[in-house]
Amino acid sequence: MPRRSAALCLALAAALAANGAAFAQADAQAKPGAPAAAAPAQAAAAKPAGRAEEQPARLERMHYAYTVQPNGAYIEQRESALKVLREDAVERAKYDSIDYSASLQTLEVIEAYTLKADGRRIAVPKSNYQVQTNDGRGDGGPAFSDVATTQLVFPDVAVGDTVVLNYRLVGKQPMFEGQFSDTGSFSDYAYLGEMTLKYDLPASMKIRKESYGALKTVRDEVVGDRRILEWRYSNREPKVFEPQVAAPFDLTRTNGASVSTFASYGDIARVYGERALPKAVPTARVRKLADEIAAGKTGQREIAQALYEWVSLNINYAGNCIGLGAVVPRDQDFVLDNRIGDCKDHATLLQALLAAKGIEATQALINSGTTYRLAPVPVASAVNHVLNYLPGLDLYLDATAKGIAFGELPWAVAGKPVLRVDRPELEARTPAPLKLGNRQRMDTQLTIAEDGSVKGTMKVELDGRAAMEFRAGLRELTDKDAAELVAKVFERAGVQATGSFRQDDPKPLRSQHRYQVEIDAKQAVQMPGAFPLGPMFMTPQPVAALVGSAQAPLIKDEGDGLCRGGRSEETYRIEFPKTVKVLAKPQDLKLESNGSRYEATYRLEGNVLHAHRVIEDATVGPVCTGEYNRGYSEFARKVLPNLKAQVIYQ
């Protein structure tokens, strides 16, 4: 977003700061992090950095070993050694933690110690262990997730020391009976002195395996009734990280490996469905609830919408979606009694409610990270989220994603491969975002007084993702907070103001939203002075937001990148005092590129400035080629000077 002046746009930064938390979840969906499929990479890949000697700490070794039983249960052993190179890494190196399933895994810490630079070992005493369940109670018995965390505090850590942790997790039962799968990837940008990845499996298990990048196969042999696989990797000269377009995760383009007993991704959907679908048979209680929710509704779509909205608005989220010990949905009564559940619980309850009204529905597995292409070897961790699919309406629904309107999908699951439980072998995808589906239209009318005070109104109409984000962010805004919102936003920017904020009721799940702001701001504009045009109150998708790539460094990477588009229109009527003369205004501009366009006109009638500009970013996404992204960046760079151009007056 272009830099803004402290005049008309003064309030925007303050508004975003004041309301940043409201949009954090939506931003996270738009810019998702590493996929769950790359679990070992999270330990091996430190913050991207330059050369090894520039890093505050480095992993000298990382060893993974999996011993798999015939039923698919396994013992996992990990050993890491992190060397501290700079003072600013000491505090972080003191702490390490181990996450595991408290009900299905037993943790055994084999050794944990600080290796001093002079060779002395200082063991971590038992008093430095702290066990917590994910609900913070520490009692090992949360109702919605059995994930526990054991945190260790290493003693006497200083620059030059190495913290060593070696532990074993003994699994009591498999994720899926008779099946095992695992995958890992390791960054080019993080130092890793030595890594081994070892699998010890029953020789009778039929497996698929693949490795990518710089991983080297050092062992693949049968010893008695066991098959041993081992890869090694080292990265003592990590690449220097350079700014680049956020890229989708593709295991085949990393240093990674996968091992799996699943013959296909359809097998994963099939074994999930065998255990999950019986939970979706509607109970008498669910049938009664479905009748109550659908009362007065007619038609399959209207009834489905009512049921979806009820689950989305009334069942809170908690727990593990897909993982060890988390592949069977909870009973419908349990979810209804507690009004809480994970993604499987949401999908299962919604499927049961739909079935109670005779609407066919199924479940579908998907990745909610940045994976848009399934790797050749099917692993269960490639999918970590559950949706519903309604064949009769050809519609995907995600009741877990709060704030999403019926018929829409959150960014994190749009345009992705999906495993449908009703048709496991079908190569299906969720719909990509609609072209120009995210829209904002803003109309601003301001009157500037001789002392720089500003009075006026700003009306905004939103559609699509912009509307849903804004509604979600202000859903809990009280009447009292709304009455004080304008004053508080301007106060954060150092401007005294009064005003009002009115909006559509944000509580219903809708993909449209309107709001209006009335402002009376004291001495908000320098007299004489200059300012670029821009929203003077918070808006989720101003014109400037759609040319953000113009401010990024030129990207040399030829690979695909995450992308999205939209439409934004801004109209301004700004009346200056009759004693003020407008000396300069931005120039009209009209540009087109690969389906996208920008058009701006600026007209001065006496002491009144009329401005209108619209940008249409025709990007569909969620993944674009490097060539397309570079082309749009070049287009945005031509637009940016027009947005920065100032209105000058004296």
Side-chain angles (χ1 to χ4, degrees):
M1 184 181 295
R3 184 183 174 199
R4 299 171 177 274
S5 74
L8 282 186
C9 304
L10 183 65
L12 181 60
L16 294 178
N19 297 277
F23 300 99
Q25 182 177 5
D27 288 343
Q29 291 179 348
K31 305 164 191 172
Q42 296 170 5
K47 180 180 178 181
R51 303 183 185 280
E53 61 268 19
E54 297 173 351
Q55 297 186 13
R58 68 188 187 197
L59 272 172
E60 297 293 355
R61 67 178 181 275
M62 196 76 195
H63 299 318
Y64 302 88
Y66 296 85
T67 303
V68 184
Q69 306 304 319
N71 69 347
Y74 60 90
I75 299 171
E76 173 185 354
Q77 185 171 341
R78 295 192 182 192
E79 180 185 2
S80 63
L82 180 71
K83 185 170 184 178
V84 180
L85 303 179
R86 294 203 319 240
E87 187 66 35
D88 56 347
V90 170
E91 191 63 23
R92 183 178 177 185
K94 289 180 181 179
Y95 301 92
D96 206 344
S97 59
I98 306 165
D99 296 330
Y100 55 99
S101 168
S103 64
L104 298 180
Q105 292 177 302
T106 301
L107 171 63
E108 300 175 4
V109 177
I110 300 169
E111 54 183 356
Y113 58 90
T114 302
L115 178 61
K116 301 296 291 181
D118 60 11
R120 289 179 296 124
R121 292 189 179 191
I122 304 177
V124 177
K126 295 296 183 182
S127 58
N128 283 24
Y129 289 42
Q130 182 177 9
V131 181
Q132 268 197 336
T133 55
N134 77 327
D135 64 352
R137 296 186 317 193
D139 59 8
F144 298 98
S145 174
D146 71 342
V147 173
T149 298
T150 293
Q151 186 177 70
L152 296 87
V153 182
F154 289 81
D156 193 17
V157 179
V159 173
D161 296 346
T162 302
V163 292
V164 178
L165 175 60
N166 187 357
Y167 67 90
R168 182 185 295 118
L169 292 172
V170 180
K172 301 176 185 177
Q173 68 182 60
M175 183 174 180
F176 294 109
E177 186 68 27
Q179 303 283 359
F180 172 82
S181 66
D182 184 64
T183 191
S185 65
F186 306 88
S187 173
D188 285 326
Y189 301 101
Y191 182 97
L192 183 51
E194 178 185 80
M195 187 283 299
T196 60
L197 183 59
K198 180 181 178 182
Y199 298 92
D200 180 343
L201 309 102
S204 59
M205 277 187 166
K206 293 182 179 180
I207 65 167
R208 296 180 62 181
K209 66 181 180 67
E210 198 78 54
S211 62
Y212 311 98
L215 261 70
K216 291 181 170 54
T217 302
V218 295
R219 194 177 181 190
D220 184 355
E221 62 178 332
V222 175
V223 180
D225 62 351
R226 307 293 295 179
R227 183 175 180 181
I228 312 299
L229 303 173
E230 187 173 344
W231 287 277
R232 288 184 183 173
Y233 171 71
S234 179
N235 186 22
R236 292 187 172 89
E237 295 184 2
K239 292 181 180 179
V240 176
F241 183 78
E242 296 178 355
Q244 54 188 299
V245 172
F249 179 80
D250 184 348
L251 181 65
T252 65
R253 300 186 66 180
T254 70
N255 306 301
S258 297
V259 174
S260 179
T261 60
F262 291 107
S264 67
Y265 280 101
D267 280 350
I268 298 174
R270 189 176 297 109
V271 297
Y272 168 81
E274 288 172 356
R275 301 174 70 178
L277 293 187
K279 296 284 189 176
V281 177
T283 63
R285 179 181 180 182
V286 163
R287 291 185 182 280
K288 181 175 182 294
L289 176 61
D291 289 341
E292 293 171 355
I293 297 170
K297 306 292 189 299
T298 59
Q300 189 178 82
R301 189 178 184 91
E302 186 181 9
I303 293 172
Q305 179 174 347
L307 298 174
Y308 162 80
E309 291 181 349
W310 189 92
V311 174
S312 181
L313 293 171
N314 289 277
I315 305 299
N316 295 316
Y317 177 80
N320 311 324
C321 265
I322 300 290
L324 187 64
V327 293
V328 182
R330 296 171 180 85
D331 291 339
Q332 297 162 31
D333 283 350
F334 183 87
V335 176
L336 290 173
D337 287 343
N338 294 279
R339 296 294 177 97
I340 199 167
D342 61 23
C343 64
K344 302 183 304 299
D345 303 328
H346 281 74
T348 300
L349 177 59
L350 179 55
Q351 183 177 356
L353 288 166
L354 290 163
K357 301 305 296 180
I359 299 174
E360 183 184 1
T362 187
Q363 296 182 35
L365 307 180
I366 198 168
N367 178 274
S368 63
T370 57
T371 298
Y372 290 85
R373 174 186 173 191
L374 295 173
V377 175
V379 294
S381 57
V383 288
N384 59 5
H385 190 54
V386 185
L387 309 174
N388 289 103
Y389 177 69
L390 281 57
L393 297 175
D394 189 21
L395 195 65
Y396 288 93
L397 301 174
D398 186 357
T400 310
K402 306 309 178 185
I404 302 299
F406 179 79
E408 304 278 352
L409 286 175
W411 176 263
V413 295
K416 287 187 171 183
V418 64
L419 311 181
R420 277 175 46 184
V421 174
D422 63 329
R423 298 182 62 186
E425 301 300 335
L426 179 69
E427 294 185 3
R429 298 185 76 90
T430 54
L434 291 176
K435 181 179 179 180
L436 303 179
N438 302 316
R439 305 165 75 92
Q440 173 175 304
R441 185 180 184 279
M442 183 194 75
D443 181 39
T444 299
Q445 299 196 27
L446 303 173
T447 299
I448 301 176
E450 291 184 348
D451 66 351
S453 296
V454 177
K455 290 184 179 180
T457 61
M458 185 179 84
K459 298 179 181 179
V460 180
E461 298 176 0
L462 304 169
D463 286 279
R465 183 175 183 270
M468 291 185 289
E469 287 180 15
F470 200 87
R471 294 176 72 92
L474 295 178
R475 184 159 282 128
E476 303 304 322
L477 188 72
T478 65
D479 291 341
K480 180 177 182 296
D481 290 337
E484 299 173 352
L485 184 59
V486 172
K488 288 186 175 180
V489 165
F490 277 84
E491 181 182 343
R492 287 175 177 263
V495 175
Q496 182 182 356
T498 58
S500 63
F501 174 82
R502 291 178 291 167
Q503 64 172 337
D504 292 344
D505 182 0
K507 288 184 170 56
L509 302 182
R510 301 290 180 266
S511 57
Q512 297 83 34
H513 194 64
R514 295 173 299 172
Y515 64 98
Q516 178 174 328
V517 183
E518 294 185 5
I519 299 166
D520 185 351
K522 304 302 181 184
Q523 298 178 327
V525 178
Q526 271 190 332
M527 300 296 288
F531 56 77
L533 292 172
M536 66 178 305
F537 198 75
M538 57 185 181
T539 64
Q541 189 173 282
V543 169
L546 296 179
V547 296
S549 60
Q551 304 237 103
L554 287 172
I555 305 301
K556 300 177 183 178
D557 184 13
E558 298 291 331
D560 294 346
L562 301 180
C563 56
R564 64 168 180 245
R567 185 183 193 278
S568 186
E569 181 178 4
E570 296 176 354
T571 302
Y572 299 89
R573 182 190 184 278
I574 303 175
E575 183 176 347
F576 291 87
K578 295 187 182 298
T579 55
V580 168
K581 182 178 181 181
V582 177
L583 303 177
K585 61 179 179 60
Q587 298 296 308
D588 294 353
L589 181 63
K590 187 174 183 179
L591 294 170
E592 292 188 13
S593 174
N594 200 22
S596 296
R597 74 178 185 96
Y598 174 77
E599 185 172 354
T601 58
Y602 306 89
R603 187 177 79 257
L604 192 62
E605 293 182 351
N607 64 327
V608 178
L609 175 67
H610 298 271
H612 176 262
R613 57 195 187 194
V614 60
I615 187 167
E616 292 184 347
D617 179 352
T619 302
V620 174
V623 178
C624 297
T625 65
E627 180 182 5
Y628 180 91
N629 284 333
R630 286 192 299 277
Y632 187 82
S633 291
E634 292 173 3
F635 164 73
R637 289 175 194 280
K638 295 176 182 177
V639 173
L640 188 57
N642 191 259
L643 298 182
K644 287 184 173 182
Q646 297 197 351
V647 179
I648 304 173
Y649 52 93
Q650 67 176 17

